[in-house]
Amino acid sequence: DEPAAVMLDGASRSQGKRSLRVVNRVSGGSLGVWCGMRRFDAAKYPVLRFDYCVPPATRVNLYFRAGGQWFCVGLSAPDAFEEGARTLTSLPGFAADGRWHTARVDVLDVLRRALPAGARPVVEDLWIRAPRVEYLRSGFGGNGLGAEYRLDDFRLVGARK
């Protein structure tokens, strides 16, 4: 995949001084960004929370690997199913309108429904990226050269005791 350009941006942010701006360097690129969380136990950190600003034409989803499988939570491309990643749900209320919003993903709940009973809900990898679907990766229907989105205040929220 052609890597996206990733930079700090002080012009548009949800909180603080800067946001993370992700820009497509080629038509049909991945628009992928690794979320900086290599491995975590969703029983200890059940909720993923982040602020986002996604324009209407940008198509990305949240992908995580658990139990050796890739799973997808649909964001702005919930109908773009890809081979090798099991789409579990779409994030209710996700708005790709070019304004700042807050997303809350109950990772533990999603994994409990997806993994076999008794399996440890450990997330091994976490990405936001365009689906690996031919028409999107060719630039048709979204994610052309210069397509972008922004992220801010990305964090895991611990379980209450």
Side-chain angles (χ1 to χ4, degrees):
D1 290 341
E2 179 68 34
V6 180
M7 62 205 81
L8 293 175
D9 182 11
S12 178
R13 62 201 178 276
S14 169
Q15 301 180 29
K17 295 183 179 184
R18 296 178 293 256
S19 66
L20 187 70
R21 182 177 173 216
V22 183
V23 181
N24 219 7
R25 295 172 36 181
V26 297
S27 186
S30 73
L31 269 176
V33 63
W34 175 59
C35 297
M37 298 167 192
R38 183 60 72 189
R39 186 174 173 83
F40 67 91
D41 187 339
K44 293 179 182 176
Y45 300 97
V47 174
L48 173 65
R49 185 192 169 287
F50 58 95
D51 295 340
Y52 66 92
C53 178
V54 177
T58 300
R59 304 284 180 251
V60 292
N61 288 331
L62 174 68
Y63 293 87
F64 56 92
R65 190 168 46 96
Q69 303 176 63
W70 281 100
F71 297 99
C72 172
V73 174
L75 300 178
S76 61
D79 55 346
F81 301 104
E82 69 176 79
E83 236 178 277
R86 184 173 156 202
T87 300
L88 300 175
T89 187
S90 293
L91 192 61
F94 190 90
D97 60 7
R99 294 190 204 132
W100 283 101
H101 301 277
T102 299
R104 183 184 183 282
V105 181
D106 189 332
V107 177
L108 181 59
D109 180 60
V110 168
L111 284 178
R112 281 191 173 146
R113 289 185 278 131
L115 294 175
R120 280 190 62 217
V122 175
V123 174
E124 300 154 357
D125 216 348
L126 185 65
W127 286 78
I128 293 179
R129 64 170 172 77
R132 287 188 179 107
V133 177
E134 189 174 335
Y135 72 91
L136 283 178
R137 291 297 176 97
S138 298
F140 297 106
N143 299 336
L145 173 66
E148 66 180 18
Y149 61 96
R150 289 175 172 78
L151 299 170
D152 202 355
D153 197 28
F154 205 92
R155 62 182 153 171
L156 291 171
V157 179
R160 293 187 178 159
K161 296 186 181 197

